[in-house]
């Protein structure tokens, strides 16, 4: 009985994180991104747009969408693995409140500039406090897991969590410095470029690799990941992030390319499956979308090397960043979200596999148009490419809206009885096969 109550409370908590992440993704994130891209295209250049608005979009997507999903899934899934003792779910709610307010305040500060000297550091402090509650909950409450060896996939998730913490500490330090002595809430360009490498490769990419190593053998029927190569991938990616933070982007991109290839091989992404994939309510094209994400990862890494040597107007960096954030990260969430989130949020079934297919296809199409036209447009190689960019933005907006609609309609369905929904969730402690 006690267990049922805790399970139901955890499911409600995760649902709140998922809905909040979707809202950040839609309005402050994607809608603003589309608006920005249309303005940039009509002015034929990045310099015409307020850097505060660009950073507001980036912050809403990385912290507001991806960060919110990762914290919510982290609370839920780690409590399922028996590595942390049952915790008071009220702690998860406190971190949700602080996190949501923090991300929202940052967006308001950047967009309106209203009282930004106060809002900026308050937002950073709230985000940090929310994360610290999460961090101490999942790191100090070891119970049955104490003494167990840490598997490599878990090592990747832990590294990602540490990356997230460092990111938030840097964010708080710079926000405070700007509030005291800056002229605007905009992070200086040089610092922002380094910060963004940590915000992408140093945290969500590592989390995805870790959870993929855990889930792919079951979901796609792939051979289990090679532990040594995964560990090598982690070290290489960490070295790339450290090189970028110290300003050596060429060295960083070389590390990131090798890391991406190593992890893709380690996870056997492009190998033939050994068993049929476990689709359970998602579209049969799920494995193909999954593999496309890893193609985007490799494109992003290769473009970062080109950007480090030849970028003049932000076009190659922008293309590399969006190959990673839209093609790899958003593509991954669009593929795997419908597979796991309905099950975790109360043992539900996905509302529509067809909507999932449409969202994933349009996202990939929008990303392809964006990445292929951003470089010629921004870098001045082909003026005609400016005409393609607004279409890419609108296609991505439709994709994102379909994804959100599908999940919202799924969550609006009645939950399975707790005895059934536990079948979906308890499997974290026993291996992923029953998810
Ligand atoms: C869905 C459609 C999207 C559109 C139309 C869009 C548009 C833009 C635009 C116009 C910029 C300015 C720089 C540039 O032109 O490259 C930008 C920057 C950025 N975007 Fe996006 N974006 C989208 C999705 C995403 C997603 C899904 C993420 C992350 C998950 C993301 C993360 C970022 C980041 C981190 C920056 C850099 C912010 C900075 O300079 O600090 N974007 N985006």
């Amino acid at each position: 009985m006690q267990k049922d109550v805790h399970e139901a409370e955890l499911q409600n908590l995760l649902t709140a994180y998922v809905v909040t992440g979707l809202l950040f993704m839609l309005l402050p994130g994607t809608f603003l991104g589309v608006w920005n891209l249309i303005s940039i295209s009509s002015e034929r250049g990045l310099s015409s747009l307020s850097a505060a608005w660009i950073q507001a979009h980036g912050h809403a997507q990385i912290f507001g969408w991806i960060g919110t999903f990762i914290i919510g899934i982290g609370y839920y899934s780690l409590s399922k693995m028996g590595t942390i003792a049952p915790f008071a779910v009220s702690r998860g709610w406190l971190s949700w409140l602080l996190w949501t307010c923090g991300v929202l305040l940052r967006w308001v500060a950047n967009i309106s500039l209203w009282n930004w000297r106060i809002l900026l550091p308050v937002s950073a402090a709230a985000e940090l406090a929310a994360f610290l509650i999460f961090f101490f909950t999942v790191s100090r409450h070891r119970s049955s897991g104490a003494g167990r060896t840490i598997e490599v996939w878990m090592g990747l998730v832990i590294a990602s969590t540490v990356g997230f913490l460092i990111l938030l500490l840097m964010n708080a330090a710079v926000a405070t410095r700007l509030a005291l002595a800056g002229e605007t809430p905009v992070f200086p360009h040089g610092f922002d470029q380094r910060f963004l490498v940590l915000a992408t490769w140093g945290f969500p990419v590592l989390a995805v690799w870790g959870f993929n190593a855990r889930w792919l053998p079951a979901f796609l029927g792939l051979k289990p990941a090679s532990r040594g190569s995964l560990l090598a991938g982690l070290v290489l990616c960490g070295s790339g992030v450290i090189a970028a933070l110290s300003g050596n982007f060429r060295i960083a991109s070389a590390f990131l390319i090798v890391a991406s290839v190593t992890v893709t091989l380690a996870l056997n992404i492009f190998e033939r499956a050994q068993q049929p994939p476990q689709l359970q309510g998602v579209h049969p094209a799920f494995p193909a979308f999954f593999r496309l994400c890893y193609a985007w990862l490799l494109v992003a890494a290769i473009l970062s090397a080109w950007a480090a040597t030849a970028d003049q107007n932000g076009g190659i960096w922008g293309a590399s960043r969006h190959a990673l954030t839209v093609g790899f990260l958003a593509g991954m969430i669009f593929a795997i979200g419908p597979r796991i989130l309905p099950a975790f949020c109360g043992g539900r079934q996905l509302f529509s596999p067809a909507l999932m297919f449409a969202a994933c296809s349009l996202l990939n199409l929008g990303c392809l148009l964006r990445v292929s036209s951003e470089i010629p447009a921004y870098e001045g190689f082909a003026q005609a490419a400016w005409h393609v960019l607004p279409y890419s933005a609108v296609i991505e907006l439709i994709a994102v809206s379909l994804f959100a609609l599908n999940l919202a309609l799924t969550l609006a369905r009645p939950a399975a009885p707790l005895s059934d929904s536990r079948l979906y969730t308890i499997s974290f402690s026993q291996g992923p096969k029953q998810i």
Side-chain angles (χ1 to χ4, degrees):
M1 185 65 192
Q2 186 87 31
K3 265 189 162 176
D4 278 358
V5 173
H6 195 251
E7 174 62 37
E9 286 176 350
L10 271 176
Q11 289 178 3
N12 290 340
L13 179 69
L14 176 60
T15 306
Y17 274 93
V18 169
V19 171
T20 308
L22 287 177
L23 289 174
F24 276 124
M25 171 196 74
L26 266 179
L27 291 172
T30 303
F31 190 77
L32 180 61
V34 171
W35 184 273
N36 286 346
L37 190 56
I38 291 175
S39 314
I40 292 168
S41 303
S42 64
E43 296 293 327
R44 299 279 195 270
L46 193 56
S47 53
S48 58
L49 193 74
S50 146
W53 280 40
I54 293 177
Q55 292 185 9
H57 154 78
H59 195 90
Q61 295 286 38
I62 301 273
F63 291 71
W65 176 28
I66 296 191
T68 308
F69 267 32
I70 287 182
I71 298 177
I73 293 174
Y75 266 123
Y76 183 81
S77 60
L78 293 172
S79 71
K80 293 284 144 200
M81 294 187 316
T83 50
I84 59 173
F87 59 93
V89 176
S90 56
R91 260 197 253 169
W93 281 107
L94 181 60
S95 32
W96 171 83
L97 185 67
L98 286 166
W99 184 256
T100 307
C101 292
V103 179
L104 206 59
L105 288 181
R106 173 64 172 272
W107 196 80
V108 171
N110 272 37
I111 292 294
S112 68
L113 303 184
W114 180 76
N115 276 323
W116 67 266
R117 281 184 201 280
I118 298 170
L119 296 196
L120 201 65
V122 169
S123 136
E127 288 174 352
L128 186 59
F131 184 80
L132 286 176
I133 297 172
F134 168 73
F135 191 79
F136 287 116
T137 303
V138 299
S139 59
R140 289 180 56 192
H141 283 252
R142 289 179 160 272
S143 59
S144 53
R148 268 201 230 160
T149 50
I150 294 183
E151 293 174 48
V152 182
W153 75 267
M154 236 189 246
L156 280 157
V157 174
I158 292 171
S160 146
T161 313
V162 173
F164 200 173
L165 177 61
I166 298 171
L167 184 75
L168 288 165
L169 287 169
M170 284 172 70
N171 182 54
V174 176
T176 310
R177 200 168 62 82
L178 285 175
L180 292 175
E183 281 168 15
T184 69
V186 173
F187 281 21
H189 179 69
F191 170 79
D192 193 44
Q193 289 283 96
R194 301 171 193 196
F195 180 77
L196 288 174
V197 175
L198 177 61
T200 48
W201 293 93
F203 132 63
V205 169
L206 293 180
V208 167
W209 287 351
F211 283 115
N212 278 183
R214 172 72 168 168
W215 288 329
L216 287 197
F219 287 180
L220 298 196
L222 296 178
K223 211 162 67 187
S226 146
R227 299 156 66 92
S229 304
L230 267 185
L231 198 58
L234 170 61
V235 172
L236 287 162
C237 185
S239 309
V241 172
I242 291 170
L245 285 174
S246 53
N248 294 308
F249 288 104
R250 291 181 190 199
I251 296 175
S253 56
F255 273 122
L256 296 177
I257 292 175
V258 186
S260 305
V261 172
T262 307
V263 171
T264 307
L265 293 175
L267 293 172
N268 305 304
I269 298 291
F270 295 107
E271 302 265 316
R272 189 189 290 269
Q274 293 189 320
Q275 283 155 19
Q278 291 185 12
L279 298 174
Q280 279 164 10
V282 297
H283 196 276
F286 167 67
F289 286 124
F290 218 98
R291 292 189 165 100
L292 263 180
C293 296
Y294 276 87
W296 281 119
L297 178 75
L298 299 173
V299 169
I302 292 166
L303 284 180
S304 74
W306 186 17
T309 50
D311 188 276
Q312 299 288 330
N313 303 313
I316 316 178
W317 276 123
S320 165
R321 194 167 295 137
H322 282 86
L324 189 66
T325 56
V326 179
F328 181 68
L329 292 173
M332 185 62 68
I333 297 176
F334 278 35
I336 212 163
R339 178 68 181 73
I340 58 166
L341 293 176
F344 292 175
C345 296
R348 294 174 163 92
Q349 281 281 324
L350 181 67
F351 176 76
S352 165
L355 269 183
M356 171 189 172
F357 179 78
C360 290
S361 308
L362 288 173
L363 187 81
N364 278 287
L365 174 65
C367 190
L368 182 65
L369 292 177
R370 169 77 183 275
V371 171
S372 57
S373 53
E374 180 158 4
I375 298 172
Y378 286 38
E379 299 300 314
F381 304 151
Q383 289 299 309
W386 283 116
H387 299 296
V388 181
L389 283 169
Y391 290 103
S392 79
V394 173
I395 292 172
E396 286 176 346
L397 178 62
I398 298 172
V400 162
S401 308
L402 292 182
F403 170 74
L405 178 72
N406 204 10
L407 272 192
L409 290 172
T410 304
L411 295 177
R413 289 180 147 185
L418 267 179
S419 53
D420 291 353
S421 72
R422 275 223 306 276
L423 277 179
Y424 290 98
T425 55
I426 204 163
S427 50
F428 257 107
S429 56
Q430 298 163 345
K433 287 214 160 64
Q434 303 157 48
I435 295 174

